[in-house]
Amino acid sequence: MPEQPVVFVLNGPNLNLLGTREPAIYGHETLDDIAGRLEDRGRELGLEVDLRQSNHEGHLIDWLHEAQAVGAKAVLLNAGGFTHTSVAIHDAILAVATPVIEVHLSNPHARSSFRHVSLVGQAAKGTIAGFGALSYMLALEAAARF
């Protein structure tokens, strides 16, 4: 039986604190809660979900490269604060053929003006934001259709 296609779910800085970090903005669900639901839905869609988190920019870049190297179907990327600052992540997205969907729990456009520019979004295939943890599920549904 062939392996299931894999979708990488990459999470940037401070997302390890979900559930306790500014719950009025990010909600009460933890990253583990989100991972469990994504894995369940992934199985239903015939996808393997590989969820990772790092507070280090270079790890996210290495994982984007790895996604291409292993033939991942897609990457869901919540780059956290790197969304607005990282030319290196922007360039890594452009360097790989694997489609990347930018994901955000909150709506960056409804927040501080510095969050209105997304270097990640400028390189990604699309963006899903503002639906809390549901943003990840919506992005997985989109990735399943690639």
Side-chain angles (χ1 to χ4, degrees):
M1 172 181 254
E3 285 186 33
Q4 291 182 316
V6 64
V7 173
F8 280 35
V9 181
L10 306 181
N11 294 277
N14 300 311
L15 289 162
N16 56 305
L17 299 177
L18 285 180
T20 60
R21 175 187 176 218
E22 299 181 88
I25 295 172
Y26 300 110
H28 293 281
E29 292 186 78
T30 67
L31 196 55
D32 285 342
D33 295 335
I34 293 168
R37 287 206 333 266
L38 285 171
E39 290 167 356
D40 290 346
R41 183 62 182 137
R43 276 190 293 278
E44 293 169 359
L45 294 168
L47 300 170
E48 176 186 345
V49 172
D50 185 340
L51 188 136
R52 305 172 186 195
Q53 187 277 328
S54 180
N55 293 318
H56 304 282
E57 181 179 36
H59 292 162
L60 296 171
I61 293 166
D62 289 344
W63 293 336
L64 285 163
H65 296 173
E66 181 184 343
Q68 176 170 281
V70 301
K73 184 172 186 70
V75 173
L76 313 184
L77 175 60
N78 184 343
F82 291 136
T83 297
H84 320 289
T85 63
S86 181
V87 172
I89 292 174
H90 170 276
D91 289 350
I93 294 167
L94 293 177
V96 299
T98 308
V100 174
I101 301 172
E102 178 185 36
V103 177
H104 295 288
L105 295 159
S106 69
N107 177 356
H109 296 287
R111 298 182 62 200
S112 303
S113 61
F114 75 87
R115 297 182 192 278
H116 297 179
V117 174
S118 171
L119 298 179
V120 167
Q122 291 172 15
K125 181 166 184 66
T127 299
I128 299 176
F131 298 101
L134 181 60
S135 294
Y136 284 91
M137 299 301 284
L138 295 170
L140 184 63
E141 295 289 335
R145 286 156 176 77
F146 292 151

